[in-house]
Amino acid sequence: MKSLKAKLIVVYSFALVFFISFLLLFINYHLRNEFTKFLNSELKQNIEYINTYLLSFHKPVTKPLFTNEVVNALKSIALKSNIRITVIQHDGKVVFDSNADPETMENHLYRPEILKANKDGTGISVRYSNTVRADMLYVAKYYNFYYIRASKSLTNINALVGSIIQNILIAGIAILIISIVVTTVFATTFTKPIKESLKFINRFF
């Protein structure tokens, strides 16, 4: 009976651990996916706004001229929106970046989001940035003669999702402990009549 009782507890515990693990993976994936979609939409809106701003200075824009006024305005947009703005020529040369000196930056023509933008008009990529030292979401759009790329750190999203997952994990552990206690009581109650019946039968054999 002790063996049956232990098996009931172990099987139920493993089933609950599996369910909690699956739930954590499911929530983690969907939360990150939804937050990334929202951020992607926000960056696309910023790109359209930046392009409209550049067009107000040069029509048509074949090679944006980055005067002090334009540079300061773009840096202000980047600061207020908490994003990084990069403008890249059709040949991959960086002509503006809100976080770094374009002259010191390598050619961006083969960056994943730029390659995708060149092919489909818009490109998206998630990767680690050595410049800002964080995981970034990059969104780039091609405007015939140049690319506008907007990117944002995923640090806050990662921290938020991590906090949610941690709270769910704590709740899951609490539920697991309570469930094991309840299962132990149930298993004891369930196996007790069987144990007594076996004792009664053993008296005659």
Side-chain angles (χ1 to χ4, degrees):
M1 286 305 101
K2 285 185 179 180
S3 177
L4 177 60
K5 177 180 175 181
K7 285 180 180 179
L8 286 172
I9 295 171
V10 170
V11 169
Y12 181 80
S13 298
F14 268 107
L16 191 57
V17 167
F18 176 80
F19 174 75
I20 293 173
S21 299
F22 173 80
L23 184 63
L24 287 173
L25 291 173
F26 179 83
I27 292 174
N28 179 65
Y29 172 78
H30 282 278
L31 279 178
R32 291 184 187 279
N33 191 44
E34 289 304 313
F35 280 131
T36 301
K37 282 183 181 178
F38 176 80
L39 191 55
N40 177 32
S41 178
E42 178 187 336
L43 291 176
K44 284 181 178 179
Q45 290 177 4
N46 279 300
I47 289 173
E48 291 295 339
Y49 176 78
I50 293 165
N51 186 56
T52 301
Y53 175 78
L54 291 176
L55 285 173
S56 69
F57 281 86
H58 313 282
K59 296 182 181 180
V61 181
T62 56
K63 184 178 180 181
L65 299 176
F66 291 94
T67 61
N68 288 335
E69 181 182 359
V70 174
V71 169
N72 291 334
L74 291 181
K75 286 186 176 181
S76 178
I77 293 171
L79 184 62
K80 289 178 180 178
S81 302
N82 193 28
I83 62 174
R84 180 184 179 186
I85 300 170
T86 309
V87 181
I88 304 158
Q89 288 182 176
H90 67 279
D91 61 358
K93 177 179 172 58
V94 178
V95 291
F96 171 83
D97 189 272
S98 58
N99 285 45
D101 180 3
E103 296 299 324
T104 64
M105 298 176 69
E106 60 185 21
N107 191 285
H108 278 38
L109 188 60
Y110 298 104
R111 297 297 168 91
E113 66 279 1
I114 300 301
L115 288 172
K116 187 71 174 175
N118 184 48
K119 180 182 178 182
D120 301 327
T122 302
I124 302 169
S125 175
V126 176
R127 66 174 189 278
Y128 183 81
S129 169
N130 291 320
T131 304
V132 298
R133 299 179 183 275
D135 289 328
M136 303 283 288
L137 171 65
Y138 294 92
V139 178
K141 193 164 184 179
Y142 185 48
Y143 290 98
N144 296 321
F145 302 102
Y146 60 95
Y147 304 87
I148 296 178
R149 187 183 72 178
S151 56
K152 194 165 188 175
S153 171
L154 296 176
T155 300
N156 290 337
I157 290 178
N158 290 339
L160 178 59
V161 173
S163 177
I164 294 173
I165 295 300
Q166 184 179 28
N167 289 334
I168 295 175
L169 180 60
I170 292 172
I173 292 173
I175 292 172
L176 178 62
I177 293 172
I178 294 171
S179 297
I180 290 174
V181 173
V182 171
T183 304
T184 301
V185 173
F186 171 78
T188 301
T189 305
F190 176 75
T191 57
K192 186 176 181 180
I194 300 176
K195 185 177 180 180
E196 291 178 349
S197 297
L198 289 175
K199 284 183 178 181
F200 179 77
I201 293 171
N202 288 333
R203 291 177 185 176
F204 299 94
F205 295 95

